[in-house]
Amino acid sequence: MRAYLTAASAVAGVAFLAAGPVAAQGNLTVLCSVQAEWCQAVATEFQKASGVKVAIVQKGSGEVFAQIKAEAANPRTDLWFGGTGDPHLQAADEQLSEVYRSPRLAELHDWAQKQAADSGYRTVGIYAGALGYGFNSELLAKKKIAAPKCWADLIKPEFKNEVQVANPNSSGTAYTMIASLVQIMGEDKAFAYMKALHASINTYTKSGTGPIKAVARGETTASISFMHDGITEAVAGFPVGVAAPCEGTGYEVGSMSIVKGARNMENAKKFYDWALSADAQAVGAKAKQFQTPSNKAAPLPPGAPKLDEMKLIAYDFKKYGASAERKRLIDKWEKDINSLPK
Amino acid sequence: MTRATPVALALVAAGLLVLPWYAQQDGLLGFGWLREWTGRDAAPALFQAGDHGKVWLWPLFGAFGCGVVGWRRSGDRALSASLLLAAGGFGFGYLLLQGFAVGLKGPTIGWLAAMVGDAPWRQFALGAGAVAAGAGFLILLALGIAGRGGFGGDAFVTGAVLAVATAVGLFAFFPVAKVLVTAVESQAGALDLAAFWQRFAAPKIWSLECLSSARRCGVAWNTIALALAVGAGTTVLGLAFALIATRTAFPAKRILRLLTVLPIICAPFVIGLGLILVFGQAGIVNAALEKLFGVQPTRWIYGFQGVFLAQLFAFTPIAFLILIGVVEGVSPSFEEAAATLRAKPGTVFASVSLPLMRPGLANAFLVGFIESIADFGNPLILGGNFGVLSTEIYFAVVGAQYDQGRAATLGLILLALALAAFVAQRRFLGRASYVTVAGKGFGGGAAPMPGWAKAMSYGIALPWAAFTLLLYAMVLAGGFVEIWGRDNSLTLRHYAKAFEVEWSAHGPIWSGVAWNSLSTTLALAAVAAPLTAALGLIAGWLIARKEFPGRRLFEFATMLSFAVPGTVIGVAYILAFNVPPIELTGTALIIVLCFVFRNMPVGVRAGIAAVAQLDKSLDEASATLGARGGTTFARIVLPLLRPAAVAALIYSFIRAMTTVSAVIFLVTAEYDLATAFIVGRVVNGDYGVAIAYSSALTALMVLAIVAIQALVGQRRLGRRAPPVPARARA
């Protein structure tokens, strides 16, 4: 009996393994760096619209970049959907993504088209979101702290150890903060500010959405995150409020890239064009996401932060998305800020 | 021996003449290759070399011919053995060499490229034909070496050593070596020792400032301190549990066993999540303290203490599983002899029982130490600002910088730590004989423990058990609660979301989000676990029993993947196996291999510890009666290794189901794993579904453990059950 079972399982195992990768006809493999609900919705909608079978996995933008870079000689992924723009620009810089000019480019907002042009048409903007603050209104009331409205508020003594932000080594969100501060205050003042901010930070989390989740759960009082993530938490029932910094703030252009040497290039281009259409971008709102879509005809989700109502800087994506500049700023942060005593 | 030669030759022939030499897109069982059998993609080596210009394959046929000659000349044993050795050695070595030398775009070695010039020397990854031919050549090599007298003339042992060594070499050494080479390379790929030194000597790794100021210490020191504490803690706890489980009349033993095993079943993130739910700033304990005593909730759990607690939870079960086999194996006749000589129970325990358990204690400490330094999930979620090497490596790989050299340097340091622990353990064990399972019969029950030992065991183990129970109750409850900490109404919504099954006209639709990853994980773990256990036990037996040149290196090699942290293994596998000659990324096979070689060391350790207690006289008796190596192993040693087999099977199945860091780079959209999926949910804050899924997984694995224990069975040594409250006098 035992021998039979062992033999049967061995045969089954061999058969299973020898089956190898699924045939590539009518398939598409997507790595997705937005929230999982949106990833799943996008895959399902595209399948319904085109019949292409989509295999989608959600991974942070840092992880996806590492995977695409490691697989560069023999790529298994076809397309990278979403995630903050800087890793996409870095991938374009290192020629890991395919050049493709979609016919829908003209339908997009200027900032999305500029993203495409800046990268040599290796990537394109699919949404935008402003950087700001999230805070737990219940904890603020309990600790009798006023809600933060400006960058200067966060370095006040009442916020000591009350704030969370991500670690720029792994998070695009945190890098956006560094680059925004540099463009608002100038590099020296920005790093002096971040040194002062260090006293307010209790943890530098790995993922960009970690801080806002902690705010929602009450694990921390305030966070520096993208405002649309805060709205998602508020809609889910948590006591989260959001605010845009009064001195000015940066924003992200969430992007999409086709991997160079993709096995399903035709389907990837089909998906690319579809994802830039107004209908496809409305899927985000259905999945309770509150970014600003890049297609001019796509409706802004109700409740989403309005980009024209806040003080946004003219973020230079080309300069701050370049590999060398990213490395320099993050190394400087690591040396000057992360090594300070906690 | 003579029967094996034609089988090996048939294997080589099949590989060279029938099966497709290169890897097929749709897999071997797609049978699409039969239709184009002489075409460029699917042809066997014969046609590849003859029709399609792959002239570098011809020497393999020469090796095959040499092997046939050696077989026909079996009358002259020395000549036959030499020919087989030459054929097998050259065939196997050349097969690997040509695989690495001629790549996808041309020759990879400079002088070869120059010599070849413009001729199209290109090839894809090795496929079924190459694997079959390679296996055949390896068997020929083993037969040749045994025929010439190596390894005591035993073909089975030779074959086993070669097979395990090749497997470990290809799937543990090669990927790790590839990554470590990048440690000494610059970003561009050229050798750069100065850059290596700069990365290695960074203050972030080695500074001792935390001793004198409020700054943080280097991550290397953090890792060592944590690992020592965890190793000691888990050994003590594991010993307490093992003693209670085997030597006392404690009534609820089965529950105790299950409880110690629970933490190992749950994914590492869940333990950390549970600790946060209970002790976090918004957790139950802090909320209660605030309500009762007005104490302000703080984030005290984050840091060394949180990670230490989580790792104690996570790794005590491994120590327990190792120690219970050893504690059970301590022969009562020694203790009876000491008691007959009028030693008090305390003296017997301290001077006879404990020293006999030394292999187990040392092994348990080593395992705890290494698990701690390689652990990734817990430091990530509970570390706060307390950095350890594994999280540093993760940031180096996954971060915005993608600094492979730095990740590799840190991995080097981690490896050095593991090696140091291994060497220290060897010195401690020394050369004393721990033989207690001998051929002579005995019938005593285990001596009752002295009062102080019993009290200590109960005192340590029972509160820990209660604590574990509480933690798991909390986490289990979390699956049924709307939103933890905010809306405590009961609901089944999370389970529904994860495991929904809808009915349609065409039958059931598995619409729950968890089904895809669950089925994949179960299938791959079920395939990997028996392979891991088999490989580990054979390797353990070879190391503990047989003397052969390179045994120490062999032992270290099998332990290698255990010490290397998961994230480095993951990236190593992607780098090593994404290009020919061995192209595996994106398949299920790479995940299975990662499971097998990452978890094999525990099977090896358990095997060594168990075999160390088996007297050689059993093997010798079997040999005297005419049994060859293979028969002795299968019919004498293996049944006595059942506890080790059970431990290895359970551990490898569970680790395959719960590993995160190694596979996070290997997960694809087609082959999504449960742990990666749950991590995604946890990171997204969807704790309801994450906990529901984890609870279901846990239940599934408890079932699996029961099934494995039932299938493999218990070892039956001739002893009575421990006596119910026998009061030993004096």
Side-chain angles (χ1 to χ4, degrees):
Chain A
M1 174 63 180
R2 213 168 284 164
Y4 168 72
L5 277 177
T6 341
S9 27
V11 169
V14 168
F16 182 86
L17 286 176
V22 174
Q25 197 86 357
N27 285 349
L28 186 67
T29 308
V30 178
L31 283 179
C32 174
S33 297
V34 293
Q35 302 235 23
E37 285 81 8
W38 192 3
C39 291
Q40 195 58 43
V42 150
T44 317
E45 292 297 318
F46 181 65
Q47 234 165 281
K48 278 196 221 159
S50 69
V52 173
K53 187 166 178 296
V54 178
I56 193 162
V57 160
Q58 197 265 353
K59 279 194 187 179
S61 50
E63 287 177 60
V64 174
F65 179 71
Q67 185 163 340
I68 290 184
K69 186 156 178 163
E71 293 181 347
N74 204 347
R76 297 270 163 176
T77 314
D78 299 315
L79 190 134
W80 181 4
F81 179 81
T84 196
D86 294 313
H88 285 264
L89 285 171
Q90 193 172 359
D93 199 20
E94 299 188 19
Q95 315 224 330
L96 296 169
S97 39
E98 189 84 13
V99 176
Y100 177 61
R101 296 178 84 117
S102 170
R104 286 195 193 270
L105 273 178
E107 298 174 32
L108 308 178
H109 284 290
D110 293 333
W111 42 264
Q113 295 192 37
K114 186 164 187 306
Q115 179 83 338
D118 280 347
S119 64
Y121 296 96
R122 289 179 194 269
T123 189
V124 70
I126 52 176
Y127 60 81
L131 189 71
Y133 310 133
F135 44 83
N136 187 312
S137 23
E138 281 180 10
L139 273 181
L140 280 180
K142 217 191 294 182
K143 298 188 186 214
K144 300 203 197 358
I145 312 177
K149 291 211 170 12
C150 307
W151 291 109
D153 288 341
L154 286 182
I155 54 176
K156 290 196 187 141
E158 57 254 32
F159 276 102
K160 185 165 158 61
N161 275 333
E162 300 286 351
V163 186
Q164 263 191 23
V165 74
N167 185 317
N169 280 301
S170 57
S171 159
T173 313
Y175 176 73
T176 307
M177 176 191 80
I178 298 180
S180 305
L181 285 172
V182 165
Q183 292 176 81
I184 296 173
M185 303 179 187
E187 190 162 324
D188 292 328
K189 282 222 180 71
F191 274 84
Y193 173 80
M194 282 193 277
K195 278 201 188 97
L197 185 65
H198 183 75
S200 307
I201 305 286
N202 56 53
T203 318
Y204 291 101
T205 64
K206 165 189 101 102
S207 123
T209 45
I212 193 69
K213 305 281 178 195
V215 164
R217 288 195 322 268
E219 292 282 329
T220 189
T221 312
S223 73
I224 302 174
S225 329
F226 287 117
M227 289 167 62
H228 50 254
D229 289 325
I231 310 265
T232 308
E233 297 300 321
V235 160
F238 293 101
V240 174
V242 296
C246 63
E247 298 102 329
T249 186
Y251 59 100
E252 66 162 347
V253 174
S255 306
M256 171 172 63
S257 311
I258 299 180
V259 177
K260 185 173 191 178
R263 290 186 177 207
N264 299 301
M265 188 59 75
E266 285 315 306
N267 286 337
K269 291 183 178 162
K270 243 195 252 176
F271 184 98
Y272 198 96
D273 295 332
W274 174 82
L276 293 176
S277 70
D279 292 329
Q281 299 203 341
V283 170
K286 272 189 242 144
K288 302 222 186 51
Q289 304 297 309
F290 296 93
Q291 286 87 335
T292 302
S294 66
N295 191 310
K296 287 186 257 203
L300 189 68
K306 296 199 178 43
L307 294 182
D308 36 20
E309 282 178 11
M310 50 187 94
K311 192 166 173 202
L312 290 179
I313 56 169
Y315 195 106
D316 187 349
F317 289 101
K318 196 166 171 78
K319 174 170 183 200
Y320 291 97
S323 246
E325 184 65 9
R326 273 180 70 106
K327 192 164 168 32
R328 185 186 72 85
L329 281 176
I330 295 180
D331 279 345
K332 187 166 179 182
W333 180 88
E334 188 67 38
K335 204 160 55 86
D336 292 350
I337 316 281
N338 206 20
S339 57
L340 291 175
K342 234 310 128 226
Chain B
M1 217 182 299
T2 37
R3 274 174 300 161
T5 321
V7 169
L9 286 169
L11 209 55
V12 176
L16 289 176
L17 303 173
V18 175
L19 293 170
W21 186 253
Y22 294 118
Q24 299 304 296
Q25 270 275 35
D26 295 336
L28 195 63
L29 292 188
F31 287 121
W33 55 273
L34 278 175
R35 270 178 260 130
E36 307 174 333
W37 192 59
T38 52
R40 204 168 53 103
D41 286 334
L46 186 63
F47 295 110
Q48 293 286 1
D51 290 341
H52 302 294
K54 312 271 195 272
V55 295
W56 57 88
L57 294 177
W58 285 124
L60 292 167
F61 291 89
F64 176 57
C66 185
V68 173
V69 170
W71 176 47
R72 297 312 309 168
R73 292 289 197 89
S74 51
D76 182 352
R77 294 204 70 187
L79 179 64
S80 166
S82 306
L83 284 173
L84 288 180
L85 197 153
F90 177 74
F92 188 73
Y94 184 75
L95 195 145
L96 284 179
L97 190 71
Q98 61 89 28
F100 283 103
V102 182
L104 202 57
K105 295 190 179 79
T108 53
I109 314 176
W111 56 261
L112 189 65
M115 189 177 82
V116 157
D118 276 332
W121 277 40
R122 278 182 271 278
Q123 62 178 352
F124 298 118
L126 297 176
V131 170
F137 279 131
L138 206 62
I139 299 177
L140 287 176
L141 181 62
L143 291 168
I145 294 178
R148 300 238 4 160
F151 294 91
D154 191 336
F156 175 75
V157 171
T158 322
V161 170
L162 281 179
V164 175
T166 311
V168 170
L170 270 179
F171 298 114
F173 254 133
F174 165 56
V176 171
K178 187 134 191 215
V179 169
L180 292 183
V181 158
T182 61
V184 291
E185 277 179 354
S186 63
Q187 287 276 39
L191 184 69
D192 189 348
L193 287 172
F196 166 71
W197 182 249
Q198 201 181 23
R199 289 191 284 251
F200 183 86
K204 188 141 198 229
I205 303 178
W206 296 107
S207 87
L208 277 169
E209 286 173 338
C210 67
L211 296 176
S212 52
S213 74
R215 285 173 177 261
R216 278 174 273 168
C217 266
V219 285
W221 297 120
N222 285 347
T223 314
I224 294 173
L226 183 67
L228 285 173
V230 169
T234 56
T235 309
V236 167
L237 277 169
L239 185 65
F241 278 114
L243 287 171
I244 293 183
T246 53
R247 295 242 171 146
T248 65
F250 187 67
K253 273 187 206 169
R254 298 207 93 147
I255 301 180
L256 212 60
R257 273 201 187 222
L258 207 66
L259 218 59
T260 16
V261 168
L262 259 183
I264 214 181
I265 291 178
C266 287
F269 263 76
V270 174
I271 298 178
L273 180 60
L275 281 174
I276 292 180
L277 289 181
V278 174
F279 291 115
Q281 190 172 16
I284 298 183
V285 166
N286 273 325
L289 281 176
E290 194 190 4
K291 215 180 258 188
L292 294 176
F293 303 113
V295 175
Q296 237 349 344
T298 61
R299 300 170 52 83
W300 62 269
I301 190 76
Y302 296 99
F304 175 88
Q305 55 280 5
V307 186
F308 175 64
L309 262 181
Q311 290 187 340
L312 268 188
F313 269 114
F315 305 134
T316 300
I318 308 175
F320 172 66
L321 284 177
I322 291 177
L323 286 169
I324 203 165
V326 167
V327 169
E328 270 180 350
V330 170
S331 163
S333 45
F334 288 105
E335 294 165 333
E336 275 187 15
T340 327
L341 291 169
R342 286 204 285 245
K344 293 211 246 340
T347 322
V348 173
F349 188 73
S351 59
V352 177
S353 318
L354 273 185
L356 281 175
M357 295 179 205
R358 270 191 1 194
L361 290 174
N363 272 323
F365 180 82
L366 175 70
V367 166
F369 185 89
I370 291 178
E371 283 276 11
S372 172
I373 60 180
D375 184 27
F376 168 71
N378 293 311
L380 194 71
I381 199 175
L382 283 167
N385 293 314
F386 181 77
V388 291
L389 282 171
S390 53
T391 46
E392 280 305 306
I393 292 174
Y394 186 78
F395 286 143
V397 169
V398 154
Q401 314 285 59
Y402 189 58
D403 194 344
Q404 231 180 307
R406 182 151 185 270
T409 311
L410 291 165
L412 201 67
I413 298 175
L414 213 49
L415 201 61
L417 282 177
L419 188 57
F422 176 59
V423 165
Q425 183 230 2
R426 296 286 291 212
R427 300 198 109 178
F428 176 64
L429 267 188
R431 295 254 166 263
S433 164
Y434 295 97
V435 170
T436 64
V437 180
K440 316 180 195 85
F442 44 72
M449 283 201 295
W452 58 266
K454 213 192 261 188
M456 266 178 73
S457 298
Y458 278 132
I460 294 174
L462 292 183
W464 188 251
F467 192 28
T468 312
L469 249 165
L470 175 71
L471 197 66
Y472 283 98
M474 291 290 112
V475 174
L476 188 67
F480 295 104
V481 155
E482 267 296 337
I483 300 176
W484 183 265
R486 289 208 42 77
D487 179 0
N488 290 325
S489 52
L490 293 177
T491 175
L492 284 175
R493 183 172 64 94
H494 304 302
Y495 281 91
K497 189 166 168 199
F499 296 113
E500 209 171 347
V501 183
E502 288 169 22
W503 289 95
S504 79
H506 308 282
I509 298 182
W510 308 92
S511 55
V513 293
W515 288 118
N516 180 28
S517 49
L518 187 63
S519 51
T520 311
T521 313
L522 276 176
L524 295 182
V527 169
L531 286 174
T532 317
L535 209 60
L537 286 180
I538 292 181
W541 174 68
L542 286 170
I543 292 169
R545 256 304 170 260
K546 303 292 171 188
E547 289 284 338
F548 51 87
R551 191 177 63 129
R552 290 228 164 169
L553 184 62
F554 186 70
E555 187 177 2
F556 172 68
T558 54
M559 220 189 66
L560 188 66
S561 26
F562 205 33
V564 181
T567 35
V568 177
I569 292 264
V571 175
Y573 266 55
I574 285 189
L575 287 178
F577 300 131
N578 199 45
V579 285
I582 308 174
E583 193 185 317
L584 294 172
T585 47
T587 61
L589 188 59
I590 197 176
I591 299 179
V592 170
L593 285 171
C594 188
F595 285 158
V596 169
F597 289 96
R598 219 164 118 56
N599 300 324
M600 191 181 79
V602 170
V604 174
R605 288 269 132 214
I608 293 177
V611 167
Q613 293 183 323
L614 304 182
D615 191 0
K616 281 201 177 182
S617 60
L618 292 170
D619 289 35
E620 286 161 10
S622 169
T624 326
L625 290 168
R628 286 199 224 104
T631 322
T632 310
F633 180 71
R635 298 185 62 185
I636 307 294
V637 179
L638 217 46
L640 285 171
L641 284 181
R642 280 214 185 105
V646 168
L649 271 174
I650 291 176
Y651 181 73
S652 38
F653 182 77
I654 287 166
R655 276 293 282 242
M657 297 279 288
T658 61
T659 189
V660 179
S661 51
V663 295
I664 204 147
F665 289 106
L666 303 177
V667 160
T668 65
E670 297 160 56
Y671 298 110
D672 198 4
L673 292 178
T675 41
F677 182 82
I678 294 176
V679 164
R681 298 276 89 200
V682 169
V683 164
N684 276 308
D686 195 355
Y687 297 116
V689 170
I691 294 175
Y693 194 173
S694 310
S695 313
L697 259 184
T698 309
L700 214 66
M701 283 194 274
V702 170
L703 271 165
I705 292 181
V706 169
I708 290 174
Q709 287 206 308
L711 269 177
V712 179
Q714 300 275 57
R715 173 171 75 180
R716 247 191 276 270
L717 295 171
R719 295 205 190 114
R720 296 192 297 264
V724 176
R727 305 248 101 193
R729 280 202 308 158

